Amino acid sequence: MSLPTVFSLRLVLLTGFGFFFLSLSLLLYCLINRRKQHMEKQLREEITREYRSLFNEWMAGHRPELAQPNRHHEWIYLLNLWNDLYRDADPDQQDHLIEAANEMDVTDTALKFVEGNDHEYLLSAFQVLGALRCEKSLPAIEKHVNATAPIVHLNAVRTIVMINQKKGLEHIIRDTRDNPDAPITYYIDFCDYIDQEHLCDQLINAIENSSEDEEARLISLFQSVEDSEILPSIRKRLKEADHPEVISGYLQIIRNIGQPDDETLVEPFLRHESEFVRIQAANTLATIGTDTVRQSLLEAMTDESWWVRLRAAQAVVKNPSINGNQLDSIFESLEDPYARDAFNEAMTQ
Amino acid sequence: MTLNTVIWVAEWIFLVYFISLNSIYLLLNFTSLVSIRRYMKMARFIDFGDSLDELMPPITVVVPARNEERHIIDTVKSIQNLDYPEVQIVVVNDGSTDYTQQSLTEAFDLVPTDEIYRDKIKTAPVESILRSRDNTNIHVINKENGGKADALNAGINYCKTPLVCCIDGDSILEEASLKTLVRPFLYDKRTVAAGGTVRVANGCEIKNGLMEKARLPDTILPLFQVVEYLRAFLFGRLGWEPFNGVMIISGAFGLYRRDTVAEVGGYQPGNIAEDMELVMRIHRHLSDKDEEYRIRYVPDPVCWTEVPADLDSLRNQRIRWQHGLMQSVMQNFSLFFKPGSGFAGWFAFPYQVLFEGFGAIVEALGYLFVAVGLLLGFISYPYAAAFFLVAIGFGIFVSIISFLIESISFNIYDDEGDLARMFQTAVLENFGYRQLNSFWRLIGIGRYFLTDSANWGTIERKGFNRHIENEETTDK
């Protein structure tokens, strides 16, 4: 069958004109839609402007009347605005903003959003509820802790930490211990919201009941700890540690909060079989070390690993008790060409 | 076989091709309309200011640069101006012979650094690594010339963040572009790569390397390309996205998981369309591993690029694109109807091969067939005219759908009369411009077979060429 038999000229022409007609109709729709969008944008700007000025007055300590938005989706503009203002406000202003939020029953609306699954509503609501320290929202927020969307999961954990440190830390510890892919770098940041003493107690407790792999992950959470009171526990764990990652983790903590007398504890790790541990040991000594470990560092400068040699050389060079002339004489005394090279590199830096 | 049979067969081949292609377009139109509505519903309220900053993963932006002394400082400054919590900038000076390195050293007070550079992906030798004293997030890798892909690979080797963003030296970015592009990684942990929409910068207002105000260009060639880009991104890529069928992430601006890119071996030096080839290879590799993954497309206009404003440059660009497309599809041909490759291997990739790759041959033969038919009288003039009318009508319809998507989503071109001008262009492009494009694509295919014929059937990577012969790839 030839084409003209299958598709008559009339049918082809009709199809062609049909597409033209359809295109023109869509063009008209585009124009109408554009106008509609413009109006929506205006409305959004109006709401934001109106509430901004009201919230500004509340932040200044006045209490003008606050009405709830009329339409459901206008709430999201309001919540986003509130979150923005809250984040940049000083503590007094934040208190006033919380009063304003309570005046508008923001909690009830935010709770409704948390019950739903619309990500954008959820995330806005998390922020507000976290700032309001809304305890009654915890069960609803906890349902999202296992969300597959990383941003929802992380936000839920962060909000729980802000509302209830103990529960939040429990979530962080559980996930870090049980999940090899846990987002530890984020958890370290969240730990900043947690009281140091409480953080240290719970972490030490968790570590004591963990396997080596779990311990290696949990140690990372100590990065936010600045309290040197945990040092005795860390020293004890380091002495008992066997797993290279665990040892490296503890060495890192000692580098952050350790004291000069820890160098005797750290120094033997310069000769550990794991290159990673030796690098960490040299790094730690570069921060806390004194002149007493110089000989060990000089030996480490002949290590088979370039990184260990360099880090050991840096530890010597960074030592404030060694002056320029002494550095020159150390360099002269080095016989090993690799050690000289590492030392030279560290000096150049 | 009689002449009549030949004509009959040819008629049906062209018709089946025409109907198949347009049916795919209609389906893509439909899925892109659904996708954009869903996306806008999600993105409509995204206005968290900085409240999610601490949840955003750090990103390394890799900028390959060869003889870019005039633009490189502005490019780096424009990246510094991006609204993103933690950005590392790695400029890879790919053996520049001008003052690129000196300009960078002077502008950012660069000093040598001992930071780790792991040669995980083999590249041309790295000569030195410098870091800015004033802005510690700026790094410069000086290496021997190896081409754009090689330079990007060196940047990926140096990258220490979980995500790496590869851009062109002349990309013009939206201030919030990184925050927009990182979204798929935050919402779905299966995401391994994401690309955004690239728009035409000609005629726009640009300040300090960032887009200030979008305008339509005044001249016709860039205007044609505005309509083309809208079509390509807003219904082409958006239509494939829900099925994990995105086959191209523009080299102008793409975000990848560093470990995935390193795992597949990075960009392929020697490939003209290294951006497309990488995405196809990721599809191939991850489907081989039977891994759950997603390659995402973000419809927000995140990056702007200057398009050719004269016919010669446009011609070269289109020939090069087609050549690169052919290289990419042939090098990843094992993805074609590959068991276990899902929608990507069964639909999206075959579409690239059959319609985007070899389609130009069918189209060119179609034009030839109609011309000969009219001359010899086996096609009637009214019938040819009517079919031409359908083709134009459908072409305009497809363009209008992308205008519609643009209008219900981002509404970038909102000046009075912009829509009318775009409509006018969508009509005009059917008279000459489209045919010219088919012709250039045909040359691109020819060039592939004449210069790259040795690559027929190459599936696995053969290694890394240090010296790329193709000048267009080597010199950006």
Side-chain angles (χ1 to χ4, degrees):
Chain A
M1 256 194 307
S2 72
L3 288 186
T5 333
V6 182
F7 304 102
S8 68
L9 185 63
R10 186 178 292 182
L11 179 69
V12 179
L13 278 172
L14 211 64
T15 315
F17 282 118
F19 278 126
F20 273 109
F21 179 72
L22 216 55
S23 303
L24 284 171
S25 312
L26 284 176
L27 188 70
L28 192 68
Y29 178 76
C30 288
L31 288 167
I32 295 168
N33 188 66
R34 185 169 281 202
R35 177 54 59 112
K36 206 176 124 195
Q37 270 197 337
H38 184 65
M39 285 164 69
E40 181 72 32
K41 192 179 162 195
Q42 272 185 330
L43 175 72
R44 180 184 179 148
E45 281 170 3
E46 216 171 274
I47 291 172
T48 310
R49 196 170 43 240
E50 190 186 321
Y51 278 104
R52 187 182 291 276
S53 89
L54 286 169
F55 284 146
N56 279 338
E57 283 198 50
W58 274 82
M59 279 164 41
H62 309 298
R63 301 171 69 89
E65 197 179 331
L66 279 168
Q68 291 196 338
N70 296 324
R71 290 195 290 171
H72 177 72
H73 75 260
E74 288 171 12
W75 268 104
I76 202 88
Y77 304 144
L78 177 91
L79 294 188
N80 284 340
L81 173 70
W82 191 92
N83 283 325
D84 270 353
L85 293 171
Y86 185 83
R87 198 181 44 256
D88 298 332
D90 62 37
D92 276 349
Q93 291 173 327
Q94 285 183 340
D95 289 343
H96 292 312
L97 275 172
I98 288 172
E99 284 169 22
N102 290 331
E103 174 85 7
M104 293 179 76
D105 290 333
V106 165
T107 315
D108 290 344
T109 309
L111 269 169
K112 271 184 217 153
F113 289 166
V114 173
E115 298 288 348
N117 273 319
D118 189 317
H119 283 179
E120 310 316 316
Y121 284 89
L122 261 181
L123 299 179
S124 259
F126 282 161
Q127 312 270 319
V128 175
L129 293 169
L132 294 177
R133 312 279 188 268
C134 177
E135 283 275 351
K136 69 174 176 181
S137 66
L138 276 177
I141 297 171
E142 279 177 319
K143 285 183 193 158
H144 297 283
V145 163
N146 295 322
T148 49
I151 191 118
V152 176
H153 154 75
L154 288 170
N155 236 304
V157 175
R158 182 173 70 169
T159 309
I160 295 169
V161 169
M162 290 174 82
I163 296 172
N164 185 323
Q165 294 185 3
K166 186 169 174 275
K167 277 201 168 184
L169 187 56
E170 276 168 17
H171 279 292
I172 291 175
I173 289 176
R174 194 166 43 238
D175 195 31
T176 308
R177 191 179 51 208
D178 302 341
N179 174 13
D181 298 322
I184 293 175
T185 47
Y186 293 111
Y187 289 163
I188 293 167
D189 288 343
F190 298 166
C191 285
D192 285 343
Y193 298 116
I194 298 170
D195 171 61
Q196 292 265 311
E197 199 183 322
H198 179 61
L199 176 69
C200 296
D201 287 349
Q202 285 221 36
L203 277 177
I204 293 283
N205 193 25
I207 282 170
E208 278 167 1
N209 301 308
S210 305
S211 69
E212 279 185 327
D213 285 338
E214 291 167 350
E215 186 177 3
R217 291 197 293 276
L218 283 167
I219 295 167
S220 317
L221 297 176
F222 276 110
Q223 279 185 35
S224 59
V225 173
E226 290 162 0
D227 188 350
S228 57
E229 279 185 24
I230 57 156
L231 271 172
S233 307
I234 298 294
R235 287 175 191 136
K236 183 171 165 277
R237 304 285 315 172
L238 177 61
K239 277 181 200 161
E240 293 165 1
D242 194 32
H243 193 290
E245 276 185 50
V246 174
I247 297 171
S248 300
Y250 286 125
L251 287 173
Q252 229 171 337
I253 300 168
I254 291 181
R255 191 177 66 181
N256 292 343
I257 54 172
Q259 290 153 359
D261 27 318
D262 285 319
E263 64 185 9
T264 47
L265 179 67
V266 175
E267 188 255 357
F269 291 105
L270 283 172
R271 292 176 289 280
H272 195 273
E273 60 183 9
S274 158
E275 179 195 10
F276 196 50
V277 170
R278 299 201 301 276
I279 292 170
Q280 280 300 351
N283 271 341
T284 305
L285 290 173
T287 312
I288 62 157
T290 62
D291 207 23
T292 50
V293 287
R294 190 202 295 184
Q295 193 50 42
S296 301
L297 286 169
L298 291 176
E299 279 166 26
M301 279 162 54
T302 61
D303 194 284
E304 61 182 25
S305 156
W306 183 81
W307 279 106
V308 178
R309 294 200 297 272
L310 181 69
R311 293 302 181 216
Q314 283 170 338
V316 175
V317 171
K318 277 183 191 171
N319 190 328
S321 62
I322 305 176
N323 62 33
N325 290 337
Q326 285 172 310
L327 285 177
D328 287 339
S329 59
I330 289 172
F331 182 68
E332 293 304 321
S333 66
L334 293 172
E335 288 173 6
D336 184 290
Y338 293 102
R340 287 175 73 88
D341 183 51
F343 200 79
N344 201 20
E345 177 77 27
M347 294 272 277
T348 314
Q349 288 167 12
Chain B
M1 198 188 280
T2 63
L3 181 66
N4 276 347
T5 319
V6 173
I7 292 169
W8 183 85
V9 170
E11 269 180 352
W12 278 101
I13 287 176
F14 294 129
L15 190 76
V16 167
Y17 173 83
F18 182 76
I19 291 175
S20 317
L21 180 65
N22 291 335
S23 305
I24 294 170
Y25 280 176
L26 276 179
L27 280 173
L28 288 176
N29 273 324
F30 177 73
T31 52
S32 40
L33 272 169
V34 174
S35 306
I36 198 73
R37 287 201 81 89
R38 196 181 298 159
Y39 180 82
M40 290 316 291
K41 187 174 171 287
M42 185 201 85
R44 186 175 175 186
F45 302 122
I46 292 179
D47 184 14
F48 294 112
D50 302 327
S51 60
L52 295 184
D53 279 7
E54 68 174 331
L55 303 184
M56 295 198 179
I59 291 176
T60 299
V61 180
V62 179
V63 191
R66 176 166 164 80
N67 296 338
E68 294 272 4
E69 63 179 13
R70 279 186 300 171
H71 305 295
I72 195 65
I73 308 298
D74 285 342
T75 305
V76 174
K77 283 184 177 166
S78 81
I79 300 169
Q80 279 186 298
N81 288 334
L82 291 180
D83 177 22
Y84 197 81
E86 194 185 334
V87 180
Q88 297 293 322
I89 303 168
V90 178
V91 180
V92 185
N93 176 22
D94 189 34
S96 294
T97 49
D98 66 353
Y99 288 96
T100 300
Q101 192 205 318
Q102 290 85 337
S103 314
L104 284 164
T105 307
E106 272 172 35
F108 301 111
D109 190 15
L110 300 174
V111 288
T113 171
D114 69 324
E115 284 189 47
I116 303 169
Y117 175 88
R118 286 199 179 90
D119 208 356
K120 202 169 177 185
I121 308 169
K122 293 284 169 231
T123 63
V126 167
E127 288 160 351
S128 62
I129 299 175
L130 311 171
R131 188 174 187 165
S132 169
R133 265 204 288 224
D134 304 334
N135 306 277
T136 49
N137 65 331
I138 298 177
H139 315 254
V140 174
I141 298 176
N142 288 309
K143 63 182 277 291
E144 280 181 18
N145 179 229
K148 184 181 164 190
D150 194 69
L152 286 167
N153 286 340
I156 292 162
N157 279 338
Y158 185 67
C159 165
K160 292 168 189 74
T161 56
L163 297 179
V164 58
C165 173
C166 299
I167 71 166
D168 278 347
D170 55 358
S171 293
I172 296 148
L173 304 174
E174 292 272 333
E175 201 177 342
S177 51
L178 274 180
K179 276 189 173 174
T180 309
L181 206 55
V182 83
R183 261 185 233 152
F185 294 88
L186 300 177
Y187 286 104
D188 187 348
K189 55 185 169 194
R190 294 171 303 174
T191 307
V192 294
T197 303
V198 179
R199 297 274 182 107
V200 173
N202 304 45
C204 297
E205 278 175 36
I206 293 149
K207 204 172 165 189
N208 295 327
L210 295 173
M211 177 56 58
E212 290 272 305
K213 167 81 183 144
R215 289 189 203 288
L216 286 177
D218 295 327
T219 49
I220 193 71
L221 265 188
L223 206 49
F224 280 146
Q225 291 169 83
V226 168
V227 176
E228 264 186 321
Y229 272 61
L230 278 179
R231 259 199 320 262
F233 283 93
L234 285 188
F235 101 80
R237 293 184 200 179
L238 193 58
W240 293 112
E241 206 269 347
F243 311 106
N244 199 27
V246 174
M247 284 286 147
I248 310 165
I249 286 180
S250 169
F253 195 52
L255 190 59
Y256 301 86
R257 266 175 58 169
R258 186 207 53 202
D259 52 358
T260 304
V261 180
E263 193 181 315
V264 300
Y267 286 92
Q268 188 175 55
N271 193 304
I272 297 173
E274 72 287 327
D275 44 2
M276 182 195 294
E277 198 281 329
L278 175 67
V279 175
M280 288 178 177
R281 193 147 31 88
I282 290 175
H283 273 297
R284 191 157 57 86
H285 179 81
L286 295 183
S287 62
D288 272 344
K289 282 178 71 185
D290 207 15
E291 213 168 88
E292 272 236 45
Y293 70 98
R294 286 286 178 275
I295 294 180
R296 296 287 190 193
Y297 165 70
V298 179
D300 293 70
V302 287
C303 176
W304 298 74
T305 189
E306 205 170 333
V307 298
D310 63 275
L311 216 53
D312 271 352
S313 316
L314 184 66
R315 175 184 168 276
N316 289 338
Q317 185 199 53
R318 295 306 154 98
I319 293 172
R320 203 172 67 232
W321 280 1
Q322 190 67 26
H323 187 172
L325 171 76
M326 293 306 294
Q327 282 183 322
S328 304
V329 294
M330 296 316 291
Q331 282 164 6
N332 292 283
F333 202 75
S334 63
L335 193 58
F336 197 85
F337 295 136
K338 179 173 172 274
S341 60
F343 194 89
W346 284 86
F347 295 97
F349 186 75
Y351 166 83
Q352 291 292 329
V353 177
L354 298 175
F355 293 104
E356 297 291 338
F358 292 101
I361 299 175
V362 186
E363 281 171 33
L365 286 176
Y367 288 127
L368 191 71
F369 180 75
V370 173
V372 174
L374 287 172
L375 276 175
L376 299 182
F378 61 79
I379 294 177
S380 74
Y381 278 93
Y383 210 72
F387 260 107
F388 190 53
L389 184 78
V390 175
I392 293 175
F394 189 78
I396 295 169
F397 175 72
V398 168
S399 301
I400 294 287
I401 293 279
S402 36
F403 300 166
L404 175 69
I405 294 172
E406 158 73 4
S407 151
I408 61 176
S409 53
F410 311 108
N411 225 346
I412 296 296
Y413 302 109
D414 60 352
D415 282 353
E416 283 290 320
D418 276 355
L419 209 53
R421 279 185 73 202
M422 288 200 290
F423 181 71
Q424 219 175 21
T425 313
V427 177
L428 268 179
E429 68 170 352
N430 292 287
F431 301 94
Y433 182 72
R434 277 180 177 236
Q435 291 76 5
L436 209 53
N437 258 304
S438 294
F439 179 62
W440 290 332
R441 284 171 63 201
L442 199 64
I443 299 177
I445 296 171
R447 196 171 281 185
Y448 167 74
F449 283 113
L450 292 174
T451 56
D452 285 18
S453 53
N455 286 344
W456 260 100
T458 306
I459 294 164
E460 297 303 325
R461 299 186 66 198
K462 294 285 183 191
F464 301 90
N465 304 329
R466 281 188 177 176
H467 302 290
I468 314 305
E469 286 175 10
N470 191 300
E471 193 183 290
E472 283 150 343
T473 314
T474 311
D475 296 318
K476 284 175 1 97

